[in-house]
Amino acid sequence: NPNKYDRNKFEKDEIERIWEQKDDKYYQIVLMLLYNGVRISELLDLKKEHVHLGEQYFDVISSKTENGIRKVPIADKVLPFYKSWYESCPDCEYLLHTEDGKHFTYRNYYDSYFQPLMEQLKINRTPHCCRHTCVSMLAEAGVDQTIIKKIVGHSGAMTLTERVYTHLDIETLVEAINKI
């Protein structure tokens, strides 16, 4: 497929270059994606009412798959970004929002922010590469595969036992995400 994007993970030096820009709230979104493993649509559609900063997680209530409905831990290193976005617009319904407080559409976010930021750093990646990167970093950190699947909302490779009997609490998920 000639239109298929190359969905490789971000290299360590690319992540470091993004961290160097952490004071820019739009680079913070990229870091949030790198350290939560959600689909870009799941983050853009995240309403503030589903964000639980004190417990360090958010609820994905609408997803591409049934297993995508889940609690997603917020890593310590990106928690300040969630707090900043949350507090930046008291009347906004969505965690991430445009300058005028409106809901980000994918096209608006991708064309106006993600792509220009990547071009600025000379990084050739898509938002979905952030998801791949998170899964890779979790695996490299030795996080159990069942916990990784729970964080990112995958079930395909889960056994029946894992699907039925695995009830991981949010503290376990936060501990796992903090390993990366």
Side-chain angles (χ1 to χ4, degrees), residues 8-17 123 125 133:
N8 294 324
K9 67 178 187 157
F10 282 74
E11 298 296 331
K12 285 182 175 38
D13 72 299
E14 293 172 334
I15 296 170
E16 288 171 11
R17 293 193 341 249
I123 297 174
R125 303 279 180 243
T133 303

Side-chain angles (χ1 to χ4, degrees), residues 38-132:
V38 299
R39 294 173 181 89
I40 181 61
S41 60
E42 293 170 339
L43 189 61
L44 293 178
D45 292 342
L46 180 60
K47 292 184 178 181
K48 288 167 68 172
E49 68 187 272
H50 299 122
V51 178
H52 311 280
L53 295 172
E55 296 85 9
Q56 282 188 237
Y57 77 94
F58 60 88
D59 295 307
V60 174
I61 61 157
S62 177
S63 182
K64 187 172 121 176
T65 66
E66 182 182 327
N67 287 291
I69 309 302
R70 65 200 186 279
K71 295 185 181 319
V72 178
I74 300 172
D76 292 348
K77 60 177 66 174
V78 293
L79 183 60
F81 307 151
Y82 284 83
K83 287 180 178 175
S84 178
W85 275 99
Y86 194 96
E87 295 165 359
S88 68
C89 181
D91 297 328
C92 289
E93 181 180 10
Y94 292 91
L95 178 70
L96 304 178
H97 47 270
T98 61
E99 290 298 321
D100 59 354
K102 303 281 190 276
H103 178 237
F104 265 123
T105 63
Y106 174 81
R107 277 271 59 106
N108 177 333
Y109 172 72
Y110 183 79
D111 294 341
S112 300
Y113 299 96
F114 189 88
Q115 194 57 37
L117 296 175
M118 293 300 104
E119 286 175 9
Q120 183 179 339
L121 295 181
K122 298 183 178 15
I123 297 174
N124 184 22
R125 303 279 180 243
T126 67
H128 201 74
C129 294
C130 296
R131 184 168 163 84
H132 286 264

